[in-house]
């Protein structure tokens, strides 16, 4: 028995591994979501969807767009907080905001956010002397902010409205409430653990070591995640049909669960996964009306930020690799011309003196 567990562990690492298991889980989630989405969309009338799009109040769309804007503003503090935590205080907020916005918008729309977002962060932060290990620490701490905020909000929502999650996870309300209380207890235990000294907060070894934020700073970290989720859930709440009525907290539970499923799938833009989860969890709404809501939300939260992020990164690369080198070459040429100017003047003076002497 003592030799069985190590043998199973070695066999798992050799034949399966966490990477293959993660890929298999992603493929399963995407396949299941697409199957569910296709089954749910049977009989959908596209004309009704277009009509539902026109019925969404323009004022609500405008307010939802403002909420999405503030959500991305809050998102910029993910990287800024992580940079200050690892001691990289020379990186200004504007660079943290650029990195956070572009890495999240592009990475989440392309898929495999860990790799694509990490590559974009490294491209930006390497100009400020950060290496791959520093970027890995930033990704880890940003992810920690995301998960702490999600667990906190989801746990409160499921504790108050456990039925909201039942339509998605198919678990009894009592079990969902227990899960919620367990989530809140785990956050409380994590905060207590952080209070037990700085040594406890150290993860990794040597160059890979990262010191977790203290308990008070972790509360700030949780607040950043909560505010981000709050703005996103409010945007969805503003776009959702007015009838039948649904309270904000119940919608927030469904929205966060759908977001987490989409995140776990690594599908580009959570396409299919997020939408299927929302349609399954909110059967009380008409499918056409809910699809219209999801289309508008996807446009505001995914498509427009993605286009902006691509434009910003493209402009930055053009400026750094084309415009700045051209300006530098021009400055060097002007400097060389100014350096050679005294020699040219001296030569002209000598030639003029010789001409005058020959005339005499």
């Amino acid at each position: 028995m003592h030799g069985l567990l190590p043998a199973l562990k070695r066999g798992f690492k050799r034949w399966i591994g966490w990477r293959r298991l993660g890929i298999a889980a992603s493929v399963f989630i995407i396949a299941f979501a697409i199957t569910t989405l296709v089954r749910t969309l049977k009989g959908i009338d596209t004309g009704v969807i277009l009509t539902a799009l026109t019925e969404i109040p323009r004022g609500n769309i405008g307010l939802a767009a403002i909420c999405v804007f503030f959500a991305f503003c809050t998102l910029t503090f993910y990287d800024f907080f992580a940079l200050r935590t690892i001691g990289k205080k020379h990186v200004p907020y504007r660079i943290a905001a650029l990195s956070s916005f572009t890495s999240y918008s592009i990475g989440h729309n392309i898929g495999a956010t860990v790799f694509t977002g990490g590559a974009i962060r490294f491209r930006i932060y390497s100009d400020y002397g950060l290496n791959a290990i520093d970027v890995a620490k930033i990704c880890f701490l940003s992810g920690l902010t995301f998960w702490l905020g999600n667990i906190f909000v989801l746990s409160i929502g499921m504790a108050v409205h456990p039925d909201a999650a039942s339509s998605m996870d198919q678990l009894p309300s009592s079990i969902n409430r227990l899960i919620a209380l367990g989530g809140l207890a785990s956050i409380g235990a994590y905060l207590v653990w952080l209070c037990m000294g700085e040594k406890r907060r150290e993860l990794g070894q040597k160059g890979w070591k990262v010191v977790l934020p203290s308990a008070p700073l972790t509360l700030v970290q949780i607040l950043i995640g909560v505010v981000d989720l709050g703005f996103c859930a409010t945007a969805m709440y503003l776009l959702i049909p007015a009838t039948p009525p649904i309270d904000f907290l119940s919608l927030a539970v469904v929205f966060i669960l759908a977001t987490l499923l989409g995140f776990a799938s690594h599908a580009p833009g959570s396409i299919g996964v997020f939408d299927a989860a929302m349609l399954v969890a909110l059967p009380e709404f008409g499918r056409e009306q809910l699809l219209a809501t999801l289309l508008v939300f996807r446009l505001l939260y995914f498509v427009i930020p993605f286009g902006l992020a691509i434009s910003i990164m493209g402009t930055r690369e053009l400026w750094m690799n084309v415009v700045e080198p051209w300006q530098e070459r021009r400055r060097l040429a002007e400097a060389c011309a100014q350096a050679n100017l005294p020699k040219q003047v001296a030569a002209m003076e000598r030639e003029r003196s010789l001409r005058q002497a020959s005339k005499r």
Side-chain angles (χ1 to χ4, degrees):
M1 188 67 173
H2 291 289
L4 180 61
L5 291 177
L8 289 174
K9 185 178 180 180
R10 287 193 300 270
F12 174 80
K13 286 183 177 180
R14 181 178 179 182
W15 301 108
I16 302 176
W18 291 109
R19 183 175 176 273
R20 291 193 185 97
L21 186 63
I23 293 172
S26 297
V27 171
F28 172 77
I29 292 172
I30 293 171
F32 181 76
I34 291 174
T35 304
T36 304
L37 189 62
V38 170
R39 187 170 61 249
T40 305
L41 295 182
K42 281 185 178 178
I44 287 290
D45 189 341
T46 53
V48 177
I49 295 176
L50 294 174
T51 303
L53 283 170
T54 62
E55 290 175 350
I56 300 175
R58 297 294 176 268
N60 285 20
I61 295 176
L63 289 173
I66 293 172
C67 287
V68 169
F69 171 77
F70 281 114
F72 277 99
C73 288
T74 308
L75 190 72
T76 62
F77 288 98
Y78 280 49
D79 274 34
F80 188 67
F81 181 88
L83 284 164
R84 294 306 181 264
T85 300
I86 66 173
K88 304 299 179 181
K89 297 182 180 180
H90 67 284
V91 181
Y93 167 74
R94 59 184 175 82
I95 298 301
L98 171 68
S99 174
S100 193
F101 172 70
T102 54
S103 63
Y104 183 85
S105 301
I106 296 174
H108 199 57
N109 277 278
I110 292 177
T113 310
V114 174
F115 302 104
T116 51
I120 293 169
R121 281 187 171 101
F122 182 76
R123 178 68 185 93
I124 294 172
Y125 289 136
S126 59
D127 294 334
Y128 286 81
L130 274 66
N131 55 33
I133 295 176
D134 295 324
V135 172
K137 291 177 182 179
I138 292 169
C139 292
F140 169 75
L141 289 167
S142 298
L144 186 61
T145 303
F146 172 81
W147 282 105
L148 285 172
N150 274 273
I151 292 171
F152 183 77
V153 176
L154 185 60
S155 297
I156 290 178
M158 287 176 62
V160 178
H161 294 290
D163 294 335
S166 296
S167 56
M168 190 177 296
D169 60 22
Q170 302 299 310
L171 294 174
S173 298
S174 57
I175 300 297
N176 281 328
R177 182 169 277 124
L178 282 175
I179 293 172
L181 294 175
L184 291 173
S186 65
I187 290 179
Y190 177 66
L191 291 170
V192 171
W193 178 72
L194 292 174
C195 294
M196 297 176 70
E198 185 172 339
K199 287 292 181 182
R200 294 251 180 188
R201 296 191 279 116
E202 292 181 359
L203 297 179
Q205 295 178 351
K206 297 181 181 179
W208 289 91
K209 184 187 294 184
V210 58
V211 180
L212 295 172
S214 62
L217 285 177
T218 299
L219 291 175
V220 175
Q221 193 177 16
I222 293 172
L223 180 63
I224 293 172
V226 169
V227 173
D228 174 33
L229 283 170
F231 278 123
C232 294
T234 302
M236 179 62 75
Y237 187 73
L238 287 165
L239 297 173
I240 210 80
T243 54
I246 184 173
D247 63 277
F248 175 76
L249 208 52
S250 295
L251 181 65
V253 170
V254 171
F255 175 80
I256 294 171
L257 284 173
T259 301
L260 292 178
L261 275 174
F263 183 81
S265 71
H266 296 290
S270 300
I271 191 73
V273 181
F274 175 80
D275 313 270
M278 292 291 291
L279 286 165
V280 169
L282 298 171
E284 64 268 31
F285 293 98
R287 290 178 298 173
E288 290 85 359
Q289 286 74 23
L290 192 53
L291 275 174
T293 295
L294 293 172
L295 284 172
V296 176
F297 181 82
R298 186 168 287 281
L299 177 68
L300 295 176
Y301 192 76
F302 290 95
V303 178
I304 294 176
F306 180 59
L308 285 173
I310 288 290
S311 301
I312 290 170
M313 285 299 293
T315 303
R316 182 177 183 272
E317 292 299 319
L318 180 67
W319 179 266
M320 293 179 64
N321 295 294
V322 178
V323 178
E324 282 189 346
W326 173 77
Q327 290 179 336
E328 185 64 25
R329 288 194 299 270
R330 185 177 177 182
R331 280 195 295 268
L332 286 173
E334 290 175 354
C336 291
Q338 290 175 359
N340 291 329
L341 186 61
K343 296 179 181 178
Q344 294 173 356
V345 171
M348 291 172 65
E349 284 293 328
R350 284 197 301 271
E351 193 174 333
R352 187 171 63 84
S353 299
L354 288 171
R355 282 200 302 269
Q356 289 178 351
S358 63
K359 286 179 182 179
R360 289 196 296 269

